[in-house]
mmCIF file of all heavy atoms in Angstrom:
data_model
loop_
_atom_site.group_PDB
_atom_site.id
_atom_site.type_symbol
_atom_site.label_atom_id
_atom_site.label_comp_id
_atom_site.label_asym_id
_atom_site.label_seq_id
_atom_site.Cartn_x
_atom_site.Cartn_y
_atom_site.Cartn_z
ATOM 1 N N THR A 2 -61.566 -18.459 10.740
ATOM 2 C CA THR A 2 -60.430 -18.525 9.828
ATOM 3 C C THR A 2 -60.877 -19.112 8.466
ATOM 4 O O THR A 2 -61.758 -19.930 8.388
ATOM 5 C CB THR A 2 -59.257 -19.423 10.354
ATOM 6 O OG1 THR A 2 -59.832 -20.668 10.661
ATOM 7 C CG2 THR A 2 -58.592 -18.802 11.520
ATOM 8 N N THR A 3 -60.345 -18.584 7.386
ATOM 9 C CA THR A 3 -60.645 -19.095 6.044
ATOM 10 C C THR A 3 -59.485 -19.816 5.447
ATOM 11 O O THR A 3 -58.337 -19.422 5.662
ATOM 12 C CB THR A 3 -61.047 -17.945 5.071
ATOM 13 O OG1 THR A 3 -60.025 -16.982 5.140
ATOM 14 C CG2 THR A 3 -62.383 -17.323 5.393
ATOM 15 N N ALA A 4 -59.732 -20.937 4.722
ATOM 16 C CA ALA A 4 -58.646 -21.691 4.117
ATOM 17 C C ALA A 4 -58.050 -20.884 2.972
ATOM 18 O O ALA A 4 -58.761 -20.221 2.244
ATOM 19 C CB ALA A 4 -59.161 -23.013 3.570
ATOM 20 N N ASN A 5 -56.754 -20.949 2.770
ATOM 21 C CA ASN A 5 -56.060 -20.224 1.703
ATOM 22 C C ASN A 5 -56.181 -20.981 0.423
ATOM 23 O O ASN A 5 -55.570 -22.038 0.242
ATOM 24 C CB ASN A 5 -54.624 -19.977 2.058
ATOM 25 C CG ASN A 5 -53.888 -19.139 1.015
ATOM 26 O OD1 ASN A 5 -54.536 -18.659 0.067
ATOM 27 N ND2 ASN A 5 -52.576 -18.910 1.169
ATOM 28 N N THR A 6 -57.070 -20.517 -0.509
ATOM 29 C CA THR A 6 -57.303 -21.272 -1.742
ATOM 30 C C THR A 6 -56.509 -20.711 -2.922
ATOM 31 O O THR A 6 -56.580 -21.221 -4.025
ATOM 32 C CB THR A 6 -58.806 -21.267 -2.092
ATOM 33 O OG1 THR A 6 -59.250 -19.937 -2.038
ATOM 34 C CG2 THR A 6 -59.639 -22.132 -1.140
ATOM 35 N N SER A 7 -55.753 -19.577 -2.691
ATOM 36 C CA SER A 7 -55.061 -18.988 -3.812
ATOM 37 C C SER A 7 -53.847 -19.841 -4.226
ATOM 38 O O SER A 7 -53.312 -20.515 -3.348
ATOM 39 C CB SER A 7 -54.552 -17.584 -3.408
ATOM 40 O OG SER A 7 -53.773 -17.693 -2.257
ATOM 41 N N PRO A 8 -53.534 -19.866 -5.540
ATOM 42 C CA PRO A 8 -52.407 -20.709 -5.981
ATOM 43 C C PRO A 8 -51.137 -20.282 -5.357
ATOM 44 O O PRO A 8 -50.957 -19.105 -4.988
ATOM 45 C CB PRO A 8 -52.397 -20.482 -7.521
ATOM 46 C CG PRO A 8 -53.123 -19.183 -7.726
ATOM 47 C CD PRO A 8 -54.079 -19.039 -6.604
ATOM 48 N N PRO A 9 -50.172 -21.281 -5.163
ATOM 49 C CA PRO A 9 -48.914 -20.823 -4.524
ATOM 50 C C PRO A 9 -48.191 -19.771 -5.326
ATOM 51 O O PRO A 9 -48.191 -19.804 -6.561
ATOM 52 C CB PRO A 9 -48.090 -22.130 -4.572
ATOM 53 C CG PRO A 9 -48.840 -23.083 -5.450
ATOM 54 C CD PRO A 9 -50.171 -22.628 -5.581
ATOM 55 N N GLN A 10 -47.645 -18.775 -4.665
ATOM 56 C CA GLN A 10 -46.958 -17.642 -5.299
ATOM 57 C C GLN A 10 -45.655 -18.132 -5.956
ATOM 58 O O GLN A 10 -44.940 -18.938 -5.376
ATOM 59 C CB GLN A 10 -46.594 -16.610 -4.272
ATOM 60 C CG GLN A 10 -47.711 -15.858 -3.674
ATOM 61 C CD GLN A 10 -48.198 -14.725 -4.622
ATOM 62 O OE1 GLN A 10 -47.407 -13.888 -5.015
ATOM 63 N NE2 GLN A 10 -49.466 -14.762 -4.972
ATOM 64 N N LYS A 11 -45.434 -17.652 -7.208
ATOM 65 C CA LYS A 11 -44.191 -18.039 -7.897
ATOM 66 C C LYS A 11 -43.103 -17.180 -7.219
ATOM 67 O O LYS A 11 -43.173 -15.954 -7.183
ATOM 68 C CB LYS A 11 -44.287 -17.704 -9.359
ATOM 69 C CG LYS A 11 -43.573 -18.733 -10.235
ATOM 70 C CD LYS A 11 -43.704 -18.382 -11.664
ATOM 71 C CE LYS A 11 -42.523 -18.853 -12.451
ATOM 72 N NZ LYS A 11 -42.459 -18.320 -13.774
ATOM 73 N N GLN A 12 -42.099 -17.919 -6.627
ATOM 74 C CA GLN A 12 -41.033 -17.161 -5.940
ATOM 75 C C GLN A 12 -40.038 -16.562 -6.953
ATOM 76 O O GLN A 12 -39.521 -17.294 -7.770
ATOM 77 C CB GLN A 12 -40.265 -18.112 -5.055
ATOM 78 C CG GLN A 12 -40.064 -17.621 -3.642
ATOM 79 C CD GLN A 12 -39.373 -18.677 -2.830
ATOM 80 O OE1 GLN A 12 -39.507 -19.891 -3.050
ATOM 81 N NE2 GLN A 12 -38.572 -18.230 -1.884
ATOM 82 N N SER A 13 -39.869 -15.187 -6.922
ATOM 83 C CA SER A 13 -38.943 -14.640 -7.916
ATOM 84 C C SER A 13 -37.517 -14.686 -7.332
ATOM 85 O O SER A 13 -37.314 -14.482 -6.146
ATOM 86 C CB SER A 13 -39.346 -13.207 -8.241
ATOM 87 O OG SER A 13 -38.982 -12.388 -7.197
ATOM 88 N N ARG A 14 -36.587 -15.096 -8.178
ATOM 89 C CA ARG A 14 -35.241 -15.237 -7.728
ATOM 90 C C ARG A 14 -34.594 -13.885 -7.609
ATOM 91 O O ARG A 14 -34.766 -12.983 -8.432
ATOM 92 C CB ARG A 14 -34.478 -16.137 -8.701
ATOM 93 C CG ARG A 14 -34.816 -17.586 -8.490
ATOM 94 C CD ARG A 14 -34.190 -18.461 -9.607
ATOM 95 N NE ARG A 14 -34.969 -18.366 -10.804
ATOM 96 C CZ ARG A 14 -34.398 -18.263 -11.980
ATOM 97 N NH1 ARG A 14 -33.089 -18.234 -12.116
ATOM 98 N NH2 ARG A 14 -35.092 -18.184 -13.093
ATOM 99 N N ARG A 15 -33.724 -13.692 -6.576
ATOM 100 C CA ARG A 15 -33.148 -12.358 -6.314
ATOM 101 C C ARG A 15 -32.033 -12.088 -7.327
ATOM 102 O O ARG A 15 -31.403 -13.033 -7.847
ATOM 103 C CB ARG A 15 -32.688 -12.232 -4.851
ATOM 104 C CG ARG A 15 -31.430 -12.991 -4.563
ATOM 105 C CD ARG A 15 -31.160 -13.137 -3.105
ATOM 106 N NE ARG A 15 -30.282 -14.316 -2.951
ATOM 107 C CZ ARG A 15 -28.956 -14.209 -2.841
ATOM 108 N NH1 ARG A 15 -28.410 -13.034 -2.674
ATOM 109 N NH2 ARG A 15 -28.194 -15.312 -2.713
ATOM 110 N N ILE A 16 -31.809 -10.793 -7.584
ATOM 111 C CA ILE A 16 -30.723 -10.346 -8.456
ATOM 112 C C ILE A 16 -29.396 -10.422 -7.656
ATOM 113 O O ILE A 16 -29.261 -9.872 -6.603
ATOM 114 C CB ILE A 16 -30.948 -8.862 -8.906
ATOM 115 C CG1 ILE A 16 -32.240 -8.760 -9.723
ATOM 116 C CG2 ILE A 16 -29.755 -8.316 -9.632
ATOM 117 C CD1 ILE A 16 -32.101 -9.212 -11.167
ATOM 118 N N ILE A 17 -28.471 -11.169 -8.207
ATOM 119 C CA ILE A 17 -27.133 -11.267 -7.524
ATOM 120 C C ILE A 17 -26.058 -10.514 -8.292
ATOM 121 O O ILE A 17 -24.991 -10.182 -7.714
ATOM 122 C CB ILE A 17 -26.717 -12.750 -7.247
ATOM 123 C CG1 ILE A 17 -26.654 -13.581 -8.563
ATOM 124 C CG2 ILE A 17 -27.577 -13.374 -6.193
ATOM 125 C CD1 ILE A 17 -26.021 -14.917 -8.402
ATOM 126 N N HIS A 18 -26.321 -10.177 -9.572
ATOM 127 C CA HIS A 18 -25.321 -9.344 -10.324
ATOM 128 C C HIS A 18 -26.092 -8.179 -10.917
ATOM 129 O O HIS A 18 -26.929 -8.357 -11.817
ATOM 130 C CB HIS A 18 -24.671 -10.129 -11.446
ATOM 131 C CG HIS A 18 -23.860 -11.356 -10.993
ATOM 132 N ND1 HIS A 18 -22.746 -11.216 -10.141
ATOM 133 C CD2 HIS A 18 -23.934 -12.653 -11.266
ATOM 134 C CE1 HIS A 18 -22.235 -12.427 -9.933
ATOM 135 N NE2 HIS A 18 -22.923 -13.295 -10.574
ATOM 136 N N PRO A 19 -25.857 -6.934 -10.434
ATOM 137 C CA PRO A 19 -26.569 -5.785 -10.991
ATOM 138 C C PRO A 19 -26.285 -5.628 -12.485
ATOM 139 O O PRO A 19 -25.282 -6.024 -12.986
ATOM 140 C CB PRO A 19 -26.022 -4.594 -10.190
ATOM 141 C CG PRO A 19 -25.145 -5.167 -9.168
ATOM 142 C CD PRO A 19 -24.902 -6.583 -9.414
ATOM 143 N N LEU A 20 -27.257 -4.959 -13.195
ATOM 144 C CA LEU A 20 -27.142 -4.798 -14.598
ATOM 145 C C LEU A 20 -25.849 -4.083 -15.009
ATOM 146 O O LEU A 20 -25.188 -4.513 -15.991
ATOM 147 C CB LEU A 20 -28.364 -3.953 -15.144
ATOM 148 C CG LEU A 20 -28.367 -3.668 -16.587
ATOM 149 C CD1 LEU A 20 -28.460 -4.975 -17.450
ATOM 150 C CD2 LEU A 20 -29.562 -2.734 -16.966
ATOM 151 N N LEU A 21 -25.458 -3.113 -14.252
ATOM 152 C CA LEU A 21 -24.217 -2.367 -14.625
ATOM 153 C C LEU A 21 -22.990 -3.248 -14.598
ATOM 154 O O LEU A 21 -22.107 -3.204 -15.443
ATOM 155 C CB LEU A 21 -24.036 -1.143 -13.703
ATOM 156 C CG LEU A 21 -22.965 -0.177 -14.174
ATOM 157 C CD1 LEU A 21 -23.463 1.265 -14.173
ATOM 158 C CD2 LEU A 21 -21.658 -0.326 -13.419
ATOM 159 N N VAL A 22 -22.936 -4.122 -13.579
ATOM 160 C CA VAL A 22 -21.826 -5.063 -13.468
ATOM 161 C C VAL A 22 -21.811 -6.059 -14.620
ATOM 162 O O VAL A 22 -20.778 -6.338 -15.238
ATOM 163 C CB VAL A 22 -21.871 -5.798 -12.111
ATOM 164 C CG1 VAL A 22 -20.869 -6.984 -12.083
ATOM 165 C CG2 VAL A 22 -21.602 -4.838 -10.946
ATOM 166 N N ARG A 23 -23.021 -6.546 -14.987
ATOM 167 C CA ARG A 23 -23.072 -7.499 -16.119
ATOM 168 C C ARG A 23 -22.736 -6.851 -17.414
ATOM 169 O O ARG A 23 -21.921 -7.390 -18.201
ATOM 170 C CB ARG A 23 -24.511 -8.061 -16.193
ATOM 171 C CG ARG A 23 -24.802 -9.110 -15.126
ATOM 172 C CD ARG A 23 -26.226 -9.569 -15.221
ATOM 173 N NE ARG A 23 -27.161 -8.670 -14.598
ATOM 174 C CZ ARG A 23 -28.354 -8.334 -15.046
ATOM 175 N NH1 ARG A 23 -28.770 -8.852 -16.182
ATOM 176 N NH2 ARG A 23 -29.119 -7.491 -14.395
ATOM 177 N N ALA A 24 -23.275 -5.666 -17.652
ATOM 178 C CA ALA A 24 -23.036 -4.972 -18.942
ATOM 179 C C ALA A 24 -21.533 -4.670 -19.107
ATOM 180 O O ALA A 24 -20.913 -4.931 -20.105
ATOM 181 C CB ALA A 24 -23.859 -3.712 -19.036
ATOM 182 N N THR A 25 -20.915 -4.115 -18.027
ATOM 183 C CA THR A 25 -19.512 -3.731 -18.145
ATOM 184 C C THR A 25 -18.675 -4.989 -18.196
ATOM 185 O O THR A 25 -17.646 -5.007 -18.906
ATOM 186 C CB THR A 25 -19.069 -2.805 -16.932
ATOM 187 O OG1 THR A 25 -19.476 -3.414 -15.724
ATOM 188 C CG2 THR A 25 -19.658 -1.450 -17.040
ATOM 189 N N HIS A 26 -19.085 -6.070 -17.501
ATOM 190 C CA HIS A 26 -18.320 -7.301 -17.545
ATOM 191 C C HIS A 26 -18.209 -7.870 -18.938
ATOM 192 O O HIS A 26 -17.093 -8.167 -19.424
ATOM 193 C CB HIS A 26 -18.927 -8.351 -16.605
ATOM 194 C CG HIS A 26 -18.295 -9.683 -16.663
ATOM 195 N ND1 HIS A 26 -18.724 -10.672 -17.529
ATOM 196 C CD2 HIS A 26 -17.137 -10.208 -16.064
ATOM 197 C CE1 HIS A 26 -17.954 -11.737 -17.443
ATOM 198 N NE2 HIS A 26 -16.990 -11.534 -16.556
ATOM 199 N N TRP A 27 -19.350 -7.948 -19.662
ATOM 200 C CA TRP A 27 -19.322 -8.575 -20.996
ATOM 201 C C TRP A 27 -18.675 -7.652 -22.031
ATOM 202 O O TRP A 27 -17.977 -8.124 -22.919
ATOM 203 C CB TRP A 27 -20.739 -9.007 -21.430
ATOM 204 C CG TRP A 27 -21.181 -10.117 -20.568
ATOM 205 C CD1 TRP A 27 -22.298 -10.117 -19.685
ATOM 206 C CD2 TRP A 27 -20.625 -11.445 -20.387
ATOM 207 N NE1 TRP A 27 -22.392 -11.321 -19.039
ATOM 208 C CE2 TRP A 27 -21.406 -12.149 -19.415
ATOM 209 C CE3 TRP A 27 -19.509 -12.045 -20.936
ATOM 210 C CZ2 TRP A 27 -21.077 -13.447 -19.028
ATOM 211 C CZ3 TRP A 27 -19.218 -13.360 -20.561
ATOM 212 C CH2 TRP A 27 -20.014 -14.033 -19.608
ATOM 213 N N LEU A 28 -18.860 -6.311 -21.904
ATOM 214 C CA LEU A 28 -18.178 -5.417 -22.791
ATOM 215 C C LEU A 28 -16.703 -5.500 -22.626
ATOM 216 O O LEU A 28 -15.879 -5.507 -23.526
ATOM 217 C CB LEU A 28 -18.626 -3.952 -22.577
ATOM 218 C CG LEU A 28 -19.989 -3.561 -23.225
ATOM 219 C CD1 LEU A 28 -20.369 -2.185 -22.799
ATOM 220 C CD2 LEU A 28 -19.836 -3.597 -24.728
ATOM 221 N N ASN A 29 -16.294 -5.578 -21.335
ATOM 222 C CA ASN A 29 -14.895 -5.692 -20.936
ATOM 223 C C ASN A 29 -14.298 -7.003 -21.530
ATOM 224 O O ASN A 29 -13.161 -6.994 -22.027
ATOM 225 C CB ASN A 29 -14.818 -5.654 -19.434
ATOM 226 C CG ASN A 29 -13.405 -5.881 -18.942
ATOM 227 O OD1 ASN A 29 -12.486 -5.213 -19.348
ATOM 228 N ND2 ASN A 29 -13.206 -6.818 -18.031
ATOM 229 N N ALA A 30 -15.064 -8.099 -21.384
ATOM 230 C CA ALA A 30 -14.566 -9.423 -21.845
ATOM 231 C C ALA A 30 -14.277 -9.316 -23.390
ATOM 232 O O ALA A 30 -13.242 -9.728 -23.905
ATOM 233 C CB ALA A 30 -15.527 -10.515 -21.572
ATOM 234 N N PHE A 31 -15.248 -8.649 -24.122
ATOM 235 C CA PHE A 31 -15.060 -8.498 -25.568
ATOM 236 C C PHE A 31 -13.841 -7.606 -25.862
ATOM 237 O O PHE A 31 -13.002 -7.952 -26.740
ATOM 238 C CB PHE A 31 -16.347 -7.828 -26.146
ATOM 239 C CG PHE A 31 -16.294 -7.466 -27.616
ATOM 240 C CD1 PHE A 31 -16.279 -8.429 -28.587
ATOM 241 C CD2 PHE A 31 -16.114 -6.122 -27.966
ATOM 242 C CE1 PHE A 31 -16.151 -8.074 -29.919
ATOM 243 C CE2 PHE A 31 -15.993 -5.776 -29.317
ATOM 244 C CZ PHE A 31 -16.047 -6.750 -30.309
ATOM 245 N N ALA A 32 -13.688 -6.500 -25.146
ATOM 246 C CA ALA A 32 -12.596 -5.579 -25.362
ATOM 247 C C ALA A 32 -11.267 -6.296 -25.116
ATOM 248 O O ALA A 32 -10.293 -6.119 -25.882
ATOM 249 C CB ALA A 32 -12.750 -4.346 -24.528
ATOM 250 N N ILE A 33 -11.204 -7.087 -23.997
ATOM 251 C CA ILE A 33 -9.957 -7.729 -23.644
ATOM 252 C C ILE A 33 -9.541 -8.783 -24.758
ATOM 253 O O ILE A 33 -8.377 -8.794 -25.145
ATOM 254 C CB ILE A 33 -10.093 -8.457 -22.299
ATOM 255 C CG1 ILE A 33 -10.215 -7.483 -21.177
ATOM 256 C CG2 ILE A 33 -8.971 -9.477 -22.052
ATOM 257 C CD1 ILE A 33 -8.946 -6.925 -20.609
ATOM 258 N N VAL A 34 -10.532 -9.491 -25.232
ATOM 259 C CA VAL A 34 -10.224 -10.470 -26.302
ATOM 260 C C VAL A 34 -9.623 -9.778 -27.515
ATOM 261 O O VAL A 34 -8.630 -10.144 -28.094
ATOM 262 C CB VAL A 34 -11.455 -11.338 -26.665
ATOM 263 C CG1 VAL A 34 -11.213 -12.169 -27.900
ATOM 264 C CG2 VAL A 34 -11.841 -12.254 -25.480
ATOM 265 N N CYS A 35 -10.323 -8.682 -27.960
ATOM 266 C CA CYS A 35 -9.822 -7.910 -29.079
ATOM 267 C C CYS A 35 -8.447 -7.318 -28.854
ATOM 268 O O CYS A 35 -7.545 -7.371 -29.667
ATOM 269 C CB CYS A 35 -10.777 -6.764 -29.394
ATOM 270 S SG CYS A 35 -12.389 -7.306 -30.008
ATOM 271 N N MET A 36 -8.232 -6.795 -27.635
ATOM 272 C CA MET A 36 -6.961 -6.160 -27.345
ATOM 273 C C MET A 36 -5.833 -7.168 -27.311
ATOM 274 O O MET A 36 -4.735 -6.927 -27.824
ATOM 275 C CB MET A 36 -7.026 -5.419 -25.963
ATOM 276 C CG MET A 36 -7.945 -4.296 -26.015
ATOM 277 S SD MET A 36 -7.288 -2.849 -25.165
ATOM 278 C CE MET A 36 -5.914 -2.384 -26.111
ATOM 279 N N VAL A 37 -6.077 -8.347 -26.701
ATOM 280 C CA VAL A 37 -5.004 -9.356 -26.585
ATOM 281 C C VAL A 37 -4.659 -9.879 -27.964
ATOM 282 O O VAL A 37 -3.483 -9.927 -28.363
ATOM 283 C CB VAL A 37 -5.450 -10.517 -25.638
ATOM 284 C CG1 VAL A 37 -4.452 -11.684 -25.753
ATOM 285 C CG2 VAL A 37 -5.515 -10.020 -24.190
ATOM 286 N N MET A 38 -5.716 -10.211 -28.715
ATOM 287 C CA MET A 38 -5.439 -10.829 -30.077
ATOM 288 C C MET A 38 -4.737 -9.820 -31.030
ATOM 289 O O MET A 38 -3.801 -10.178 -31.754
ATOM 290 C CB MET A 38 -6.735 -11.388 -30.706
ATOM 291 C CG MET A 38 -7.234 -12.597 -29.953
ATOM 292 S SD MET A 38 -8.778 -13.215 -30.598
ATOM 293 C CE MET A 38 -8.236 -13.970 -32.153
ATOM 294 N N SER A 39 -5.226 -8.567 -30.989
ATOM 295 C CA SER A 39 -4.578 -7.566 -31.878
ATOM 296 C C SER A 39 -3.226 -7.220 -31.331
ATOM 297 O O SER A 39 -2.312 -6.977 -32.142
ATOM 298 C CB SER A 39 -5.463 -6.323 -32.023
ATOM 299 O OG SER A 39 -5.751 -5.756 -30.758
ATOM 300 N N GLY A 40 -3.050 -7.258 -30.022
ATOM 301 C CA GLY A 40 -1.740 -6.974 -29.438
ATOM 302 C C GLY A 40 -0.701 -8.008 -29.846
ATOM 303 O O GLY A 40 0.438 -7.734 -30.089
#
Side-chain angles (χ1 to χ4, degrees):
T2 54
T3 51
N5 185 4
T6 50
S7 58
Q10 291 279 307
K11 217 179 150 192
Q12 227 177 330
S13 75
R14 284 172 282 136
R15 73 193 159 102
I16 296 282
I17 56 171
H18 298 299
L20 178 62
L21 191 133
V22 169
R23 282 177 280 140
T25 51
H26 174 267
W27 293 116
L28 278 174
N29 174 53
F31 172 74
I33 290 276
V34 170
C35 293
M36 292 222 67
V37 169
M38 291 179 72
S39 56

